[in-house]
């Protein structure tokens, strides 16, 4: 208890009283860091800025969501594991965002941060091009920045397989604005279904929520949606609640393929009890504004009308990563991301590193991997600085330590594959759910986020979730 109070007091004091920082030093090498996600922030937190100058670049992206709502630029770190909870209001969006300035202001040397999008990387001249994509432009909105070292941590794009209609009609679940869009569209569907004289078949379509992809993102979203329906919508919309239907479409024979068969069965059983229809061995082939066409294992093509469509079929490289792979002449042979070696160096490029989802290595694209790679890379830079001072430092290749997989499956239940002792421990149920919550709380970067998330959980239990849009 004393430790926790001490940590909280220290965190609060630090946020309110940033200390004096050393300024940019032209005699030091400059690291340019792209991104403010899991990889970039773990790297930045661990990096000793006494040895380097750091310039951080992040996309400033705006998106019109439905009625021209302008989304804030991403000048923050986003705790993605709790993003599905934000789509139904169990947790508020601000509770899982950490402003990047809270992190940069506490490094020993001033970190320059430009809110902009990196549009090109030139490995030959060791420069990057950046552009200000906001709608309020200053006198300069394009610039070129030189680097001594470049760390690419730009994450990945949503995989659509180039299917027409997906970007137009479906909602993704990767960024803050995606969660906002889902929440708005869900409540739009419910309110439109309740509109005067709505024909019954249109009510059924509007209240059909379809999730494509049975990986952890799709499963966790379906689970949160089910809880919202049971805990809140049934109370506030009793005339519509029994018509609301959730369907999960998955191309493979089962959901959560990375979990043990015992946990897969447990998840599928829980979904059945919760009346979530799971269509496995079913592949989406066409997407239109009000319906999708799916191909079943028996080669039958079926049309499924929907009100809300959530698309969670995994990752693909961002356009910038593809452009860079094309520019690097040697070695970039994978269509799945930037090939790196065991020291996070981008194959075929000089003084360039890649971490997290944008890099293709033998590990899954998870926050766990990105975090470990970020910390490892900070250690590499520490060693390089000591070697330059003449010390004899040996750098071992990166080794990933898998700490287990967790997923929320609804009705206060979670599944966990934990590599304890020498074997795997697979557990599911309510106790696992408590464990799931405590693990995520412990992984949050700041006391402020922990406090806000605990408050949101309490608030939604006591008062219910907010059904306003
Ligand atoms: P990101 O965190 O995506 O960050 C990329 C950064 O790069 C962002 O700041 C972005 O704005 C910036 N960027 C993009 N393009 C550019 C550009 N051109 N120029 C400059 N900056 C750019 N993993 C787990 O281990 N456990 C979980 O429980 C878990 N839950 C998840 C839940 C959801 C809903 C999702 C979507 C993912 C989840 N993941 C989880 C996966 C995890 O979020 C990713 O693996 C992780 O975010 C990857 O980190 P990253 O730093 O590579 O990329
Ligand atoms: P994923 O790649 O894990 O799963 C996507 C699923 O979509 C696959 O099972 C695939 O078979 C299916 N699919 C693809 N095309 C389809 C189609 N046309 N029709 C039907 N199904 C189709 O993607 P994800 O769930 O978005 O996760 C991305 C990454 O983030 C993964 O590495 C995952 O482990 C990680 N993540 C982890 C957690 C967690 O640990 N709790 C939560 C979310 C995401």
């Amino acid at each position: 208890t004393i430790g926790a109070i001490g940590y909280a007091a220290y965190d609060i004091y630090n946020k309110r009283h940033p200390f004096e920082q050393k300024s940019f030093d032209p005699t030091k090498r400059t690291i340019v860091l792209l991104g403010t996600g899991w990889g970039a922030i773990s790297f930045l937190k661990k990096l000793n800025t006494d040895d380097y100058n750091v310039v951080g670049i992040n996309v400033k992206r705006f998106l019109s969501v439905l009625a021209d709502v302008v989304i804030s630029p991403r000048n923050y770190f986003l705790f993605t594991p709790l993003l599905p909870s934000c789509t139904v209001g169990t947790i508020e969006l601000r509770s899982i965002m950490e402003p990047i300035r809270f992190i940069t202001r506490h490094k020993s040397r001033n970190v320059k941060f430009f809110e902009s999008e990196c549009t090109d990387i030139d490995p030959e001249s060791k420069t990057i091009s950046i552009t200000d994509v906001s709608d309020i432009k200053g006198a300069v909105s394009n610039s070129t920045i030189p680097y001594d070292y470049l760390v690419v941590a730009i994450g990945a794009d949503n995989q659509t397989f180039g299917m027409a209609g997906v970007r137009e009609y479906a909602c993704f679940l990767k960024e803050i604005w995606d969660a906002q869009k889902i929440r708005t569209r869900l409540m739009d569907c419910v309110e439109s279904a309740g509109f005067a004289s709505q024909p019954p078949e249109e009510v059924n379509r509007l209240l059909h929520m379809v999730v494509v992809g049975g990986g952890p993102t799709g499963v966790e979203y379906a689970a949160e949606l089910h809880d919202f329906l049971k805990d809140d919508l049934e109370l506030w919309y009793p005339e519509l609640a029994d018509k609301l239907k959730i369907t999960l479409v998955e191309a493979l024979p089962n959901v959560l393929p990375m979990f043990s068969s015992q946990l897969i069965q447990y998840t599928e059983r829980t979904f059945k009890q919760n009346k979530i229809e799971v269509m496995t061995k079913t592949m989406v082939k066409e997407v239109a504004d009000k319906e999708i066409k799916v191909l079943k294992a028996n080669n039958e093509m079926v049309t499924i009308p929907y009100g809300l469509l959530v698309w969670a079929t995994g990752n693909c490289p961002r356009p910038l990563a593809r452009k860079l792979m094309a520019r690097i002449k040697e070695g970039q042979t994978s269509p799945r991301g930037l090939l790196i070696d065991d020291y996070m160096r981008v194959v075929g490029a000089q003084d360039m590193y890649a971490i997290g989802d944008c890099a293709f290595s033998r590990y899954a694209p998870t926050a766990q991997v990105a975090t470990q790679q970020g910390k490892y890379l900070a250690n590499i830079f520490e060693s390089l600085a000591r070697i330059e001072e003449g010390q004899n430092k040996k750098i071992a290749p990166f080794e990933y330590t898998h700490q287990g997989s967790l997923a929320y499956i609804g009705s206060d239940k979670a599944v966990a594959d934990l590599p304890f002792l020498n074997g795997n421990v697979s557990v599911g149920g309510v106790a696992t759910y408590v464990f799931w919550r405590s693990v995520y709380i412990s992984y949050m970067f700041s006391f402020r986020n922990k406090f806000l998330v605990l408050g949101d959980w309490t608030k939604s239990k006591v008062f219910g979730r907010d059904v306003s849009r």
Side-chain angles (χ1 to χ4, degrees):
T1 309
I2 292 169
I5 293 171
Y7 162 70
Y10 176 76
D11 200 62
I12 293 167
Y13 182 85
N14 265 347
K15 290 257 154 32
R16 307 292 293 168
H17 304 90
F19 47 75
E20 283 294 307
Q21 292 177 303
K22 292 178 192 153
S23 52
F24 201 82
D25 181 345
T27 66
K28 304 268 178 208
R29 301 208 186 189
T30 299
I31 301 172
V32 172
L33 171 63
L34 304 182
T36 53
W38 281 96
I41 296 307
S42 312
F43 168 72
L44 191 57
K45 281 211 151 188
K46 185 96 203 273
L47 183 75
N48 182 354
T49 43
D50 281 343
D51 298 320
Y52 299 95
N53 297 308
V54 181
V55 181
I57 315 283
N58 185 52
V59 177
K60 185 172 189 176
R61 197 180 293 168
F62 286 85
L63 192 89
S64 286
V65 173
L66 305 178
D68 267 339
V69 181
V70 179
I71 306 304
S72 316
R74 184 164 173 178
N75 59 354
Y76 52 83
F77 165 76
L78 173 63
F79 191 83
T80 46
L82 291 177
L83 194 57
S85 305
C86 296
T87 58
V88 293
T90 314
I91 292 175
E92 294 302 330
L93 292 166
R94 294 239 153 242
S95 306
I96 60 166
M97 296 155 72
E98 179 78 358
I100 178 73
R101 303 277 174 186
F102 283 1
I103 298 158
T104 57
R105 245 343 240 112
H106 291 94
K107 298 304 294 181
S108 60
R109 185 181 306 282
N110 183 17
V111 173
K112 287 190 191 175
F113 177 67
F114 301 127
E115 226 173 47
S116 54
E117 177 165 1
C118 173
T119 49
D120 200 8
I121 299 169
D122 184 347
E124 301 284 319
S125 61
K126 291 178 71 174
T127 55
I128 64 159
S129 308
I130 59 166
T131 187
D132 181 352
V133 288
S134 74
D135 49 4
I136 300 171
K137 296 267 192 292
V140 174
S141 53
N142 291 302
S143 191
T144 303
I145 296 185
Y147 62 83
D148 293 311
Y149 298 108
L150 181 69
V151 177
V152 187
I154 57 170
D157 211 342
N158 294 292
Q159 177 64 276
T160 64
F161 308 98
M163 201 179 291
V166 178
R167 288 198 183 273
E168 226 174 327
Y169 307 120
C171 301
F172 299 114
L173 185 49
K174 199 179 249 303
E175 300 285 354
I176 280 293
W177 48 85
D178 295 329
Q180 254 164 340
K181 183 176 170 181
I182 291 176
R183 188 166 171 177
T184 309
R185 198 164 278 186
L186 171 65
M187 291 319 300
D188 259 352
C189 286
V190 174
E191 294 294 354
S192 298
F195 192 76
S197 323
Q198 197 69 268
E201 65 278 12
E202 190 62 354
V203 172
N204 290 338
R205 177 187 74 79
L206 286 163
L207 295 181
H208 191 195
M209 312 302 166
V210 177
V211 184
V212 183
T217 304
V219 164
E220 289 190 333
Y221 173 66
E224 292 283 352
L225 185 55
H226 161 268
D227 289 2
F228 185 38
L229 168 66
K230 278 279 138 211
D231 299 345
D232 302 281
L233 292 181
E234 275 187 3
L235 294 174
W236 303 116
Y237 299 85
E239 69 289 1
L240 295 176
D242 65 333
K243 298 188 181 81
L244 203 145
K245 194 177 155 200
I246 307 168
T247 301
L248 181 74
V249 183
E250 167 55 54
L252 295 176
N254 42 49
V255 299
L256 295 180
M258 67 291 288
F259 282 80
S260 68
S261 55
Q262 177 206 341
L263 290 180
I264 290 171
Q265 281 165 23
Y266 182 75
T267 305
E268 291 182 349
R269 255 195 336 269
T270 305
F271 271 26
K272 200 169 179 186
Q273 281 160 10
N274 290 346
K275 299 198 174 67
I276 299 173
E277 189 183 353
V278 179
M279 297 173 76
T280 50
K281 297 188 194 161
T282 306
M283 185 171 268
V284 177
K285 288 288 181 189
E286 280 174 39
V287 175
D289 59 344
K290 292 180 180 168
E291 60 187 35
I292 55 171
K293 285 200 168 63
V294 301
L295 184 68
K296 302 191 89 171
N298 60 3
N299 266 340
E300 189 193 353
M301 198 70 130
V302 176
T303 300
I304 304 178
Y306 70 84
L308 170 71
L309 181 67
V310 173
W311 192 268
T313 62
N315 293 342
C316 71
R318 288 194 191 277
L320 177 64
R322 277 200 225 114
K323 201 167 169 181
L324 177 60
M325 287 187 261
R327 261 181 181 270
I328 299 171
K329 291 177 189 87
E330 307 260 315
Q332 289 297 330
T333 48
S334 170
R336 295 175 63 185
L338 284 162
L339 275 177
I340 53 170
D341 66 12
D342 284 346
Y343 299 87
M344 308 296 121
R345 290 177 296 210
V346 174
V347 172
Q350 279 283 314
D351 299 325
M352 194 190 294
Y353 299 82
I355 49 177
D357 286 5
C358 66
F360 176 61
S361 51
R362 50 185 177 274
Y363 316 108
T366 64
Q368 233 185 107
V369 172
T371 305
Q372 291 184 30
Q373 288 179 331
K375 287 182 184 163
Y376 169 81
L377 189 56
N379 286 337
I380 289 252
F381 278 107
E382 172 75 25
S383 302
L384 288 177
R386 302 290 80 81
I387 289 168
E388 277 203 353
E389 287 170 0
Q391 292 183 30
N392 185 10
K393 275 265 174 189
K394 198 166 178 328
I395 308 169
F398 174 72
E399 260 185 60
Y400 171 64
T401 316
H402 186 59
Q403 286 160 355
S405 305
L406 282 167
Y408 181 58
I409 60 167
S411 308
D412 293 349
K413 290 177 187 164
V415 288
D417 253 353
L418 304 167
F420 284 159
L421 304 172
N422 285 327
N424 274 314
V425 178
S426 301
V427 281
V430 179
T432 317
Y433 174 62
V434 175
F435 176 68
W436 174 84
R437 283 192 162 191
S438 43
V439 167
Y440 284 176
I441 280 288
S442 71
Y443 273 98
M444 299 206 90
F445 277 146
S446 73
F447 174 74
R448 177 184 153 276
N449 287 133
K450 293 177 206 270
F451 182 81
L452 291 174
V453 167
L454 284 169
D456 289 344
W457 276 334
T458 313
K459 199 174 66 181
S460 56
K461 266 282 174 254
V462 176
F463 299 107
R465 297 169 186 85
D466 186 350
V467 293
S468 58
R469 280 193 286 139

